[in-house]
Amino acid sequence: MSRVLLLGASGFLGRHIHAVLAPHLPVRALARRECDLAAIGLPQLTALIAQERPDVVVLAAGRIVGSGHDFVQAHVVTTAKLIEAMASAVPGRRLIRIGSAAEYGAVPPGVAVDETYAGVPVGEYGISHLAATRLADLAGAADRIDVLVLRVFNPVGPGMPPGNVLCRATALISTAVATGAADIEVGLHDTYRDFVDVRDVAAAVLAAVRCGPRPERIFNVGSGRAVATRDVVRLLADIAGFTGEIRDGSFAPDAGRSAAVPWMCADIARSSRVLGWEPAYDLAASLTALWWADGELGPVRTLIGSRSGGPAR
């Protein structure tokens, strides 16, 4: 049975990955406060890996906001450091890196992008993820460690971080329903995205832990379906029982990056064929889980549930 070391266990993806892995495998889960990959020195990280002796290391740490320097530190430097530590302490063991669809950059509308697409990222976030993936891929090709990179598209579900458009929409819709507002303003470009349930992402990690030897090292993790962002927000509103108008409003600071990639859709054939993984949750189920999740907005949604017939807690 593979022993797993999960880094970034306190993040949005990390918490769900831990929840899925723990019933099946021995998992040592480390949050950032316990192991800050950006701050820890290489000797200390190597010693940690040597002490834990994992069969698989899952790298779920990273960041979604910040400067170019922040992204390079969070993705490139940490990946390079972890490769060196693993190659020294546990050579040949498996590293599963959580990558991003942002590595592809702009994709022609209507195309379901596969892992062979030569991506040209549009900003520092995507560039840093692509550079980290390339480092991991090279380490795998050189047989220093065994590498799998999961390129996650737009994860959605309970515990989404602030700043995400669906998290912003959830807060606005909650307030609107609670106060009886007739409309809300959300900054929405005419974009299409591939939304994948965070629980399906976690299941893909479990599949990657369990899969045997294979020549492929990069795998898309998405739903295989592109949906207009406007339609997703409308569906979320319908689930919440909000029937008012959704108007264009001010955009978030990263809106320009989003607008530069009007279309994104994953080809998940390789993940299905090699990992034996396919998404299990549809978008409505994902948004329902997001809406009814416990958290900061929980008390508001409990009140809403009593008015709209939804599940009250």
Side-chain angles (χ1 to χ4, degrees):
M1 181 176 292
S2 297
R3 174 175 169 78
V4 178
L5 175 61
L6 172 61
L7 301 173
S10 60
F12 171 47
L13 296 182
R15 293 195 302 273
H16 288 276
I17 291 169
H18 187 212
V20 168
L21 295 185
H24 304 282
L25 302 162
V27 180
R28 175 83 158 104
L30 296 180
R32 178 172 295 175
R33 65 181 180 276
E34 300 166 291
C35 179
D36 187 339
L37 287 172
I40 193 173
L42 178 58
Q44 290 74 31
L45 181 59
T46 304
L48 172 65
I49 298 294
Q51 176 183 332
E52 295 294 335
R53 302 296 299 176
D55 299 295
V56 180
V57 176
V58 178
L59 177 53
R63 64 185 305 155
I64 60 173
V65 295
S67 66
H69 176 268
D70 294 331
F71 292 138
V72 168
Q73 289 292 320
H75 303 140
V76 186
V77 174
T78 58
T79 298
K81 198 184 300 183
L82 188 54
I83 289 169
E84 293 299 323
M86 289 185 64
S88 175
V90 287
R93 301 289 174 86
R94 179 167 294 177
L95 169 63
I96 299 174
R97 179 179 187 277
I98 305 300
S100 170
E103 298 174 41
Y104 290 118
V107 174
V111 171
V113 64
D114 69 19
E115 294 85 351
T116 64
Y117 185 83
V120 181
V122 301
E124 294 97 332
Y125 175 79
I127 290 170
S128 67
H129 263 296
L130 181 58
T133 290
R134 292 293 299 274
L135 283 173
D137 192 29
L138 288 170
D143 292 327
R144 300 183 69 200
I145 57 175
D146 182 22
V147 167
L148 285 87
V149 175
L150 303 183
R151 279 182 173 154
V152 176
F153 281 62
N154 286 70
V156 58
M160 293 183 72
N164 180 284
V165 64
L166 290 182
C167 205
R168 294 195 302 272
T170 301
L172 291 168
I173 292 167
S174 293
T175 301
V177 175
T179 61
D183 56 44
I184 60 171
E185 287 189 359
V186 184
L188 294 172
H189 288 292
D190 292 325
T191 56
Y192 288 76
R193 291 291 183 265
D194 186 324
F195 293 92
V196 58
D197 195 289
V198 66
R199 295 164 293 184
D200 282 326
V201 174
V205 174
L206 177 60
V209 171
R210 287 174 161 174
C211 81
R214 78 284 137 227
E216 303 91 343
R217 285 185 287 273
I218 301 174
F219 298 87
N220 286 340
V221 177
S223 69
R225 176 172 175 248
V227 184
T229 307
R230 293 178 183 276
D231 292 343
V232 177
V233 174
R234 182 69 262 174
L235 178 57
L236 177 63
D238 292 343
I239 289 169
F242 174 69
T243 59
E245 182 183 1
I246 300 173
R247 298 185 289 108
D248 277 334
S250 59
F251 292 97
D254 65 347
R257 185 180 73 198
S258 178
V261 183
W263 168 275
M264 187 57 69
C265 181
D267 181 330
I268 57 175
R270 177 185 286 185
S271 295
S272 176
R273 174 175 53 84
V274 178
L275 301 181
W277 171 87
E278 291 184 356
Y281 296 91
D282 64 19
L283 184 56
S286 302
L287 294 177
T288 300
L290 168 63
W291 178 252
W292 290 108
D294 289 324
E296 182 180 354
L297 298 175
V300 175
R301 291 199 292 273
T302 300
L303 174 62
I304 293 167
S306 66
R307 295 176 179 175
S308 64
R313 296 185 176 188

